[in-house]
Every structure is written in C-alpha cells, then in structure tokens.
C-alpha cells in the first residue's frame, strides 16, 4: 500500500483552517481517483517533547505507488493540491511512500 502523509503546520487562524478543510478540501481530496482510504488526526498533535507545530495530520491510502502518482496527476489531484494555497498558510509538508506489513 502506498501513502501520502501530509503534515499541516499551525495556521494563522485555526478556526478558518478547520472550516475550509472540512467543507472544501476533504470533499476535493475524496474525489482523487484510486484513493482507498483517507484519515486525519483529531485533537492536538504532540511530540515527545510536548506540543508540536503541526496542526493536523492527514493520511491518504492507495493500492500502489503507481496508483498514488496517477491519482495526484489527475485533474482531481491537481485541484486538491491547488486548494492548499487557500487555507494552509502555515505551510504543509507532503511525504509519499510505499508500505509493507511486518
């Protein structure tokens, strides 16, 4: 299974971020072809040293790296990526990787 991990940094306005994310970004992302599962963190995101600078963590699941790449390259994937500028003013880090069960 391939995954996209998105770490959204603390925004200037958390309430506005959360509202846009729930009402606009999630529906856009859920349209990405090949997306099998999509989950997000709830509550604060901590680190071993205490609170972190991360506001929200999102994980998107695909059957393979090829499916992930095709999904992100699709018009729906581009629309979701383009939406980041509309709400993620604290910045976002995206990571793509394949996984295996151990």
């Amino acid at each position: 299974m391939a995954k996209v991990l998105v770490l959204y940094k603390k925004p200037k306005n958390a309430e506005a971020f959360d509202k846009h994310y729930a009402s606009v970004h999630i529906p856009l992302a859920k349209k990405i072809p090949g997306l099998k599962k999509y989950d997000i963190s709830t509550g604060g995101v901590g680190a071993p040293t205490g609170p972190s600078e991360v506001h929200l963590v999102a994980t998107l699941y695909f059957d393979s790296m090829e499916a992930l790449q095709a999904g992100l390259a699709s018009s729906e994937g581009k629309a979701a990526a383009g939406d980041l500028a509309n709400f993620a003013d604290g910045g976002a880090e995206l990571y793509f990787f394949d996984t295996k069960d151990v």
Side-chain angles (χ1 to χ4, degrees), residues 3-60:
K3 297 180 184 178
V4 177
L5 180 69
V6 186
L7 305 176
Y8 292 99
K9 303 296 182 167
K10 293 206 182 283
K12 293 175 185 164
N13 182 328
E15 185 177 325
F17 175 104
D18 292 342
K19 182 177 179 182
H20 184 96
Y21 193 86
S23 64
V24 178
H25 195 71
I26 288 173
L28 281 174
K30 284 189 162 187
K31 293 179 183 175
I32 297 173
L35 180 67
K36 296 297 181 184
K37 181 180 172 185
Y38 179 10
D39 59 39
I40 62 171
S41 60
T42 59
V45 178
T49 56
S52 75
E53 290 301 311
V54 175
H55 177 69
L56 184 121
V57 178
T59 310
L60 291 78

Side-chain angles (χ1 to χ4, degrees), residues 85-100:
N86 297 324
F87 69 96
D89 59 13
E93 294 179 6
L94 285 79
Y95 300 94
F96 312 135
F97 54 93
D98 237 336
T99 64
K100 66 178 180 179

